[in-house]
């Protein structure tokens, strides 16, 4: 099946710094990518939807200036957590789809810990 | 998105037992999906269902798309220790965005 890769898988940063997480579709062109946040023992919470070449659509309650999403190419989307705070610590997961099947493929997730 | 009602929240069973979990919604969906998530990993697709009434198997897993298009179940037969994990149902309509259940945590003892 299609492969979606996230990097880094784990990142620890100091409060106030910015962290970038990459999501790549390795063997298909992802027209749409999604970013989720998952708290321990919770379900996935959709943060935003990004289409290649256009601005991301954020879910209600998600700060677009804090969680910057860029989908500059058909194989790469990035999530930048700006001025990170400890409450931003979470598991962030991306998923990607292509227009063909509409099937969604998930990345491996990135664990962010803000000290 | 709309939250799906997934149950049970957790299950603790012995190896060899069969497992059943389900998801319901007040809304109609066109696609139902079942994912498994291991700790620290992203969800992995187990079964995708695209048609009301569809019954699909993947090894020891069987899932069905409810005839009303508002529910789905997943069965795991003859469970083994590696079945441990969190199982999520997900559903979508004509768009791309997925609605997720809250997950069923499965523990299997040898």
């Amino acid at each position: 099946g299609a492969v979606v890769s996230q990097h880094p898988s784990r990142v620890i940063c100091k409060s106030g710094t910015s962290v970038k997480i990459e999501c790549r579709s390795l063997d298909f062109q992802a027209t749409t990518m999604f970013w989720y946040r998952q708290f321990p023992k919770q379900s996935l919470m959709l943060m935003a939807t990004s289409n290649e070449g256009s601005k991301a659509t954020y879910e209600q309650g998600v700060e677009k200036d804090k969680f910057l999403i860029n989908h500059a190419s058909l194989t790469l989307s990035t999530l930048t957590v700006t001025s990170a705070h400890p409450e931003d610590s979470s598991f962030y997961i991306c998923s990607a789809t292509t227009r063909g099947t509409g099937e969604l493929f998930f990345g491996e997730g990135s664990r962010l810990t803000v000290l | 998105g709309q939250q799906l009602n997934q149950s049970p929240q957790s299950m603790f069973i012995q190896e060899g037992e069969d497992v059943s979990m389900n998801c319901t919604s007040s809304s109609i969906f066109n696609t139902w999906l079942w994912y498994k998530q291991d700790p620290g990993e992203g969800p992995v697709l187990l079964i995708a269902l695209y048609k009301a009434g569809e019954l699909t198997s993947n090894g020891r897993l069987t899932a069905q798309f409810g005839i009303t298009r508002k529910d789905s179940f997943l069965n795991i037969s003859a469970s083994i220790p590696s079945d441990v994990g969190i199982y999520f149902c997900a559903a979508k309509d004509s768009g791309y965005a997925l609605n997720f259940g809250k997950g069923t945590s499965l523990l299997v003892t040898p």
Side-chain angles (χ1 to χ4, degrees):
Chain A
V3 178
V4 175
S5 179
Q6 271 183 253
H7 178 80
S9 58
R10 296 176 184 271
V11 56
I12 300 173
C13 70
K14 291 182 178 180
S15 185
T17 61
S18 294
V19 174
K20 180 185 286 187
I21 300 170
E22 294 185 348
C23 179
R24 294 181 183 274
S25 57
L26 299 184
D27 54 359
F28 68 102
Q29 293 184 327
T31 50
T32 305
M33 285 186 169
F34 303 89
W35 286 95
Y36 300 84
R37 184 173 181 177
Q38 187 178 33
F39 293 104
K41 299 184 180 181
Q42 302 272 331
S43 188
L44 284 73
M45 182 188 77
L46 180 65
M47 298 174 66
T49 302
S50 74
N51 293 295
E52 185 265 336
S54 62
K55 289 184 179 180
T57 302
Y58 290 82
E59 294 298 300
Q60 192 173 9
V62 178
E63 298 175 60
K64 62 180 181 180
D65 294 330
K66 178 151 187 71
F67 298 101
L68 300 178
I69 292 172
N70 184 282
H71 192 164
S73 77
L74 284 170
T75 59
L76 174 64
S77 175
T78 60
L79 167 67
T80 301
V81 183
T82 63
S83 187
H85 289 131
E87 56 264 32
D88 297 327
S89 299
S90 191
F91 194 54
Y92 293 89
I93 306 173
C94 71
S95 68
T97 187
T98 182
R99 284 198 190 95
T101 64
E103 198 169 342
L104 276 167
F105 301 94
F106 284 85
E108 311 97 323
S110 299
R111 170 77 58 194
L112 170 63
T113 302
V114 184
L115 302 177
Chain B
Q2 299 181 55
Q3 189 72 55
L4 305 178
N5 301 309
Q6 185 172 349
S7 65
Q9 185 176 356
S10 62
M11 301 184 75
F12 187 73
I13 63 171
Q14 279 194 320
E15 183 177 2
E17 290 184 5
D18 296 343
V19 172
S20 184
M21 59 192 79
N22 70 85
C23 270
T24 62
S25 171
S26 58
S27 301
I28 290 174
F29 291 102
N30 294 334
T31 302
W32 283 88
L33 305 157
W34 285 92
Y35 290 89
K36 182 188 178 196
Q37 186 178 25
D38 292 324
E41 301 283 334
V44 174
L45 181 66
L46 298 174
I47 294 180
L49 302 159
Y50 301 105
K51 188 177 177 181
E54 180 181 355
L55 182 70
T56 298
S57 293
N58 178 8
R60 293 178 295 105
L61 278 61
T62 302
Q64 183 159 32
F65 189 148
I67 197 71
T68 64
R69 295 167 61 193
K70 294 183 179 181
D71 63 300
S72 176
F73 72 75
L74 173 70
N75 287 341
I76 305 173
S77 63
S79 58
I80 59 178
S82 61
D83 290 334
V84 166
I86 301 179
Y87 293 79
F88 288 101
C89 64
K92 65 188 184 85
D93 48 28
S94 56
Y96 287 126
L98 281 179
N99 302 279
F100 281 94
K102 291 190 176 181
T104 296
S105 177
L106 178 63
L107 291 174
V108 180
T109 58

